[in-house]
Amino acid sequence: MVEQQHQQGRDASEQARRRRTGVVGFLCGLLASLAFFAFFPGLPHVIDVGAIVVSVVVGVLTRWACLARWERRAGKE
């Protein structure tokens, strides 16, 4: 019974860490691509709907890459 509770607690902490990794990855990708569109020389310095959509897609791809790397690391341990 105690081992089962310990296992559930460990699973919950891994899920929380996985969720935190996904959120941080998404925000990093989103902010990096928005910064690119805002400050890259030669581009109009206007954040339009297309830049926001591209930034969200980059954020989702970054989240996916972070979670894939996290899963790969967890599998090696």
Side-chain angles (χ1 to χ4, degrees), residues 5-63:
Q5 289 175 345
H6 182 67
Q7 180 68 23
Q8 288 175 349
R10 187 172 28 182
D11 288 343
S13 72
E14 283 186 27
Q15 287 294 341
R17 191 175 305 132
R18 186 176 190 270
R19 185 177 304 118
R20 194 175 329 126
T21 301
V23 168
V24 169
F26 176 77
L27 288 177
C28 287
L30 179 78
L31 294 176
S33 59
L34 279 176
F36 173 79
F37 284 116
F39 298 113
F40 192 80
L43 290 176
H45 299 297
V46 176
I47 301 294
D48 60 350
V49 176
I52 293 172
V53 169
V54 169
S55 296
V56 169
V57 170
V58 169
V60 169
L61 289 174
T62 306
R63 177 184 183 273

Side-chain angles (χ1 to χ4, degrees), residues 66-77:
C66 286
L67 290 177
R69 184 174 182 205
W70 187 78
E71 291 289 332
R72 195 174 339 122
R73 274 183 149 182
K76 288 183 179 180
E77 292 177 358

